[in-house]
Amino acid sequence: MNSKKVSICIPVFECQGSASGRKGEEYLSHLLASIKKQTYKNIEVIISDHSVDDSLMKLWQIWKEDTGIDSIYVSNSNNRGSSESNLNNAISLAEGDFIKPMYQDDFFHSENALELMVKKLEESQERWVVASTWHCKEDATGILYNLHVPRIPDEISTWLLGINTLGSPSVMMYEKFDEYFDPLLVWLPDTEFYYRMGKKRGYPSIVEEPCVVTRMRKDSITETQITDEVFKNEVEYNTCKHISKERINLKDYNTIYERANLLKLL
C-alpha cells in the first residue's frame, strides 16, 4: 500500500469555438486514460470544470465508474476563462499529501510516471520536484519530440523575468501546503509560482526521466493571448510584487487590469 496520497488536480473546459474545434472531451479522455494506467494507485483525481455544458462531467462519470478511482468533479462558474483560477479551485479541494497539477491537454508519458515522481519527492528535502517532458503536436500524440529536461537557474529571480527553465505546472509535484497560482497572470503564473516555491522551499529536485507529455495546441494561450505588452506587464508586475515590494496599482498594468475586469478576478 502506498503511504502518500497524491491529488491530481485538473482544470478543464470544453475548448469550444477554438481554432482546433471542440477538443475538450478528447484531451480529457486521453489524460484520464493515462491516469488509469499508473502503477502508483494511492491517488485522488479532482476535476474543476469551467465548461458551459455537462459533456466533460458525463465523460468523467463513465471513467470513474469504470476505474473506481477516488475522484470528485465540481462545476466551477467563477472566473471562467482563467485556467489559474480553475486550477486553484481544484487544488483547494485536494486532500492528498502531494499535489500534482495536470492541465487537461497534457498526459502522463509512462505507466510509472507518478511512481517516479513520488519516489523523488519522498527523498527530496526541498519538498517539490519537477520532471522532464516530451512534446507532441495537437493531434499526433504518438509522435514525441523536443525532450525538455528541467534546469535550475543560477539566480532564482530568473523565473520572475519569465525565463521558464522548468516547464508547465504539469511537470511539477509538491508536498501540500497553502500556496496557489496568481490568477492575475496569464503568461507567467507558473514561473511566478516557481519563484515563491523556491524562496520558501529551495530549488526543486529533478526527475530526469520524462514523466509528462505536453501537447502543443494551435489555440493555446501562447498562440492566442500573448503579446509583447502582456509579457512586459507581467514581468513588471512580478518585479514590483516580489523585488521592489511596492504597493501595486493594477491600473499601471493595462493587460492585467483589463483581463482581471473581464474575468471578474478583482
Side-chain angles (χ1 to χ4, degrees):
M1 179 68 178
N2 304 126
S3 59
K4 299 292 185 180
K5 188 171 189 175
V6 177
S7 296
I8 304 174
C9 301
I10 310 171
V12 304
F13 71 114
E14 72 277 10
C15 302
Q16 187 172 11
S18 66
S20 59
R22 187 185 181 93
K23 291 285 188 175
E25 293 173 55
E26 177 184 334
Y27 296 156
L28 181 58
S29 179
H30 201 148
L31 170 55
L32 291 177
S34 76
I35 293 174
K36 178 182 177 180
K37 295 177 182 177
Q38 290 303 299
T39 55
Y40 194 89
K41 299 299 185 183
N42 193 12
I43 64 174
E44 65 173 358
V45 175
I46 302 170
I47 293 178
S48 181
D49 188 1
H50 262 172
S51 299
V52 295
D53 59 28
D54 61 0
S55 59
L56 296 182
M57 180 188 70
K58 291 178 178 177
L59 186 157
W60 164 80
Q61 286 177 328
I62 294 171
W63 176 83
K64 183 178 181 181
E65 291 174 4
D66 174 58
T67 64
I69 292 175
D70 183 16
S71 180
I72 62 172
Y73 165 96
V74 290
S75 178
N76 177 24
S77 61
N78 295 327
N79 314 127
R80 177 175 157 80
S82 169
S83 294
E84 296 72 42
S85 177
N86 205 20
L87 175 56
N88 287 341
N89 188 56
I91 293 173
S92 72
L93 300 171
E95 296 184 352
D97 305 286
F98 297 157
I99 303 297
K100 179 70 191 79
M102 282 296 291
Y103 287 136
Q104 84 184 84
D105 48 353
D106 300 333
F107 52 95
F108 289 106
H109 170 252
S110 59
E111 295 181 1
N112 66 336
L114 277 177
E115 191 172 345
L116 289 169
M117 296 187 76
V118 169
K119 183 176 185 296
K120 178 66 74 171
L121 184 51
E122 289 180 331
E123 297 170 350
S124 171
Q125 294 181 347
E126 290 75 19
R127 299 181 294 163
W128 66 304
V129 300
V130 292
S132 297
T133 181
W134 284 106
H135 295 77
C136 72
K137 296 295 185 181
E138 188 170 340
D139 297 314
T141 57
I143 303 174
L144 307 181
Y145 67 97
N146 190 23
L147 176 65
H148 175 73
V149 179
R151 179 176 58 83
I152 302 300
D154 293 332
E155 297 290 339
I156 194 172
S157 59
T158 294
W159 288 330
L160 289 183
L161 301 178
I163 302 173
N164 192 343
T165 62
L166 301 184
S168 80
S170 293
V171 307
M172 174 176 55
M173 182 187 290
Y174 60 93
E175 186 178 77
K176 183 179 179 182
F177 77 128
D178 191 21
E179 199 73 44
Y180 296 90
F181 291 85
D182 188 338
L184 295 177
L185 299 170
V186 64
W187 180 232
L188 305 180
D190 44 8
T191 56
E192 191 270 342
F193 185 87
Y194 300 156
Y195 176 84
R196 284 185 279 125
M197 291 285 283
K199 293 292 285 186
K200 293 181 179 181
R201 297 187 163 186
Y203 285 126
S205 295
I206 304 297
V207 181
E208 298 285 345
E209 298 90 334
C211 294
V212 173
V213 178
T214 301
R215 190 190 306 256
M216 307 305 292
R217 289 165 41 200
K218 297 173 185 175
D219 63 334
S220 67
I221 288 175
T222 304
E223 298 294 331
T224 61
Q225 297 187 38
I226 305 308
T227 64
D228 290 343
E229 186 180 10
V230 168
F231 181 80
K232 180 174 179 290
N233 274 198
E234 296 198 0
V235 168
E236 291 175 348
Y237 168 85
N238 283 344
T239 302
C240 182
K241 179 178 178 180
H242 295 290
I243 304 300
S244 63
K245 297 185 179 180
E246 298 174 358
R247 183 181 179 131
I248 292 177
N249 182 355
L250 282 185
K251 292 183 179 180
D252 293 335
Y253 311 97
N254 293 335
T255 60
I256 295 176
Y257 182 69
E258 291 173 3
R259 177 174 177 270
N261 277 322
L262 178 66
L263 302 183
K264 301 178 181 180
L265 295 167
L266 299 179

